[in-house]
């Protein structure tokens, strides 16, 4: 079996056909492979935060970006090369920690306040004024 060069360049096929393996275009791993094909290795760039040599492509979009896809393991990704920035490992980790903190704060703000319920007697009516 042979694979057209375009499929390799677009990240749809991972080999020339010898292994007969083709990934789903929208999977997390396939998208990161495609980033490397389209943008080159992150190691060819400086970290956008500190200027040291980058090693990773890091997602850089708001948490509520409607284009965001999430893996079963909770990793976020977007099918748009413009959404990624080169980062060194330390800055990538710091960026992700900040993102998780912001997500927790947003979840806390959007969580309705707990309502107390009486265990016996008449129901209590609460007002939110």
């Amino acid at each position: 079996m042979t694979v057209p060069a375009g499929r390799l360049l677009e990240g749809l096929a991972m080999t020339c056909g010898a292994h007969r393996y083709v990934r789903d275009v929208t999977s997390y791993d396939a998208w990161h492979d495609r980033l490397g094909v389209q943008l080159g290795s992150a190691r060819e760039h400086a970290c956008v935060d500190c200027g040291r040599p980058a090693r990773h492509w890091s997602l850089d979009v708001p948490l509520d970006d409607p284009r965001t896809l999430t893996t079963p393991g909770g990793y976020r990704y977007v099918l748009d090369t413009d959404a990624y920035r080169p980062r060194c490992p330390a800055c990538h980790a710091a960026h992700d920690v900040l993102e998780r903190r912001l997500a927790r704060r947003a979840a806390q703000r959007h969580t309705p306040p707990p309502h107390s319920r009486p265990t016996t007697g008449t129901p209590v009516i609460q007002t939110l004024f």
Side-chain angles (χ1 to χ4, degrees):
M1 174 179 135
T2 59
V3 175
R7 289 183 66 81
L8 287 168
L9 293 172
E10 293 173 9
L12 299 176
M14 301 311 298
T15 71
C16 62
H19 299 291
R20 299 175 189 235
Y21 177 71
V22 178
R23 286 190 182 180
D24 174 11
V25 184
T26 61
S27 76
Y28 177 85
D29 291 331
W31 185 250
H32 275 72
D33 289 343
R34 179 179 252 180
L35 280 174
V37 170
Q38 292 184 346
L39 301 177
S41 172
R43 293 173 190 253
E44 299 169 359
H45 302 272
C47 175
V48 294
D49 298 326
C50 70
R52 291 183 299 215
R55 291 193 50 207
H56 308 138
W57 287 111
S58 172
L59 182 62
D60 199 15
V61 297
L63 292 170
D64 59 352
D65 190 303
R67 303 170 297 163
T68 302
L69 302 169
T70 307
T71 68
Y75 293 103
R76 298 173 53 240
Y77 65 108
V78 172
L79 302 177
D80 179 5
T81 55
D82 292 336
Y84 293 85
R85 304 289 176 261
R87 286 196 165 90
C88 69
C91 290
H92 190 173
H95 175 77
D96 289 353
V97 165
L98 177 61
E99 214 175 56
R100 284 192 293 273
R101 282 184 188 155
L102 292 173
R104 278 195 302 272
R105 286 183 187 159
Q108 288 171 351
R109 281 194 305 267
H110 292 57
T111 302
H115 297 292
S116 60
R117 293 186 182 164
T119 54
T120 60
T122 58
V124 174
I125 299 173
Q126 288 184 329
T127 59
L128 300 175
F129 301 110

